[in-house]
């Protein structure tokens, strides 16, 4: 059985997004992937090569002013070198984000990631969870407590550090890591059979 290679390409301004990146890594590792965390604002040529050989690239960024951080945008623009050769075509992609508000325009950040993936010819893996905390039997401890479908979304109060990232949001990011790994395993088996 092929071991999926999952890379988490992310930027974290204050540490909250790092907590989520580590949770995605934990979920993917638990599901049997080889996982690499890549800070896009410190990316090296060797790490670009790791992305090129990955089966899955999970994009992560805080949501600032309604979109991904400036540092993530710099990385996205630099990835255009891969776009010219379609180097990432048919890889799987997914994403996660954090902001201070419950909504905070996080959907726009996830859609930015989806568009970036589509431009590269990648296949998007959604969260695959029903929304949590949307009925009287639910609670803030439900997976997907903020009700996003496109990817994992987290909310952390602006006056709290990385330790304030909600445990349900961490668990949701872990779920995303497992989901992309399991999806990659199916995808790789299909490619091998074709």
């Amino acid at each position: 059985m092929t071991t999926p290679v999952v890379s988490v390409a992310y930027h974290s301004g204050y540490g909250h997004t790092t907590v989520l990146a580590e949770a995605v890594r934990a979920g993917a590792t638990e599901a049997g992937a080889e996982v690499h965390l890549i800070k896009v604002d410190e990316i090296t040529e060797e790490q670009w090569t790791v992305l090129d050989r990955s089966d899955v690239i999970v994009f992560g960024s805080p949501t600032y002013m309604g979109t991904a951080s400036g540092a993530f945008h710099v990385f996205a623009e630099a990835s255009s070198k891969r776009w010219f050769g379609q180097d990432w075509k048919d890889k799987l992609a997914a994403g996660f984000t954090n902001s201070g508000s419950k909504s905070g325009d996080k959907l726009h950040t996830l859609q930015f990631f989806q568009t970036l993936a589509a431009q590269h010819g990648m296949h998007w893996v959604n969260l695959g969870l029903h929304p949590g905390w949307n009925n009287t039997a639910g609670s803030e401890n439900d997976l997907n407590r903020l009700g996003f479908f496109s990817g994992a979304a987290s909310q952390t109060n602006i006056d709290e550090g990385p330790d304030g990232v909600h445990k349900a949001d961490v668990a949701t990011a872990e779920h995303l890591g497992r989901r992309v790994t399991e999806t990659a395993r199916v995808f790789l088996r299909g490619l091998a059979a074709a």
Side-chain angles (χ1 to χ4, degrees):
M1 180 170 60
T2 304
T3 299
V5 179
V6 175
S7 286
V8 182
Y10 75 100
H11 172 250
S12 185
Y14 299 97
H16 307 95
T17 311
T18 296
V19 171
L20 298 176
E22 290 169 350
V24 171
R25 175 178 58 186
T29 300
E30 177 188 312
E34 172 189 330
V35 188
H36 303 273
L37 289 184
I38 298 172
K39 294 181 179 180
V40 299
D41 54 330
E42 301 173 2
I43 193 166
T44 64
E45 281 305 316
E46 292 80 13
Q47 289 173 321
W48 280 109
T49 302
V50 169
L51 291 176
D52 294 342
R53 72 173 186 84
S54 296
D55 301 303
V56 181
I57 302 175
V58 183
F59 302 123
S61 170
T63 295
Y64 292 156
M65 303 306 293
T67 189
S69 66
F72 193 92
H73 277 267
V74 169
F75 161 76
E77 289 180 23
S79 77
S80 65
K81 293 176 183 173
R82 271 64 188 169
W83 175 82
F84 281 106
Q86 289 291 277
D87 299 343
W88 294 354
K89 185 175 182 178
D90 291 330
K91 293 183 184 298
L92 301 180
F96 61 93
T97 188
N98 180 82
S99 73
S101 298
K102 299 290 189 279
S103 172
D105 294 322
K106 287 186 274 282
L107 178 59
H108 186 262
T109 300
L110 294 171
Q111 289 172 332
F112 170 73
F113 294 156
Q114 288 176 311
T115 300
L116 176 63
Q119 288 179 337
H120 280 287
M122 302 169 81
H123 303 282
W124 189 259
V125 179
N126 61 48
L127 190 56
L129 286 173
H130 283 292
W133 200 22
N134 66 356
N135 58 58
T136 55
S139 83
E140 67 174 305
N141 298 310
D142 292 344
L143 287 180
N144 196 19
R145 71 187 181 105
L146 300 177
F148 285 80
F149 294 93
S150 299
S154 174
Q155 180 273 331
T156 309
N157 294 329
I158 61 172
D159 57 351
E160 290 185 287
D163 290 344
V165 177
H166 199 286
K167 300 303 180 212
D169 297 342
V170 172
T172 301
E174 289 172 352
H175 166 84
L176 180 65
R178 287 189 297 274
R179 180 167 168 81
V180 297
T181 301
E182 292 160 3
T183 303
R185 190 169 286 116
V186 170
F187 194 77
L188 292 170
R189 273 195 296 246
L191 286 174

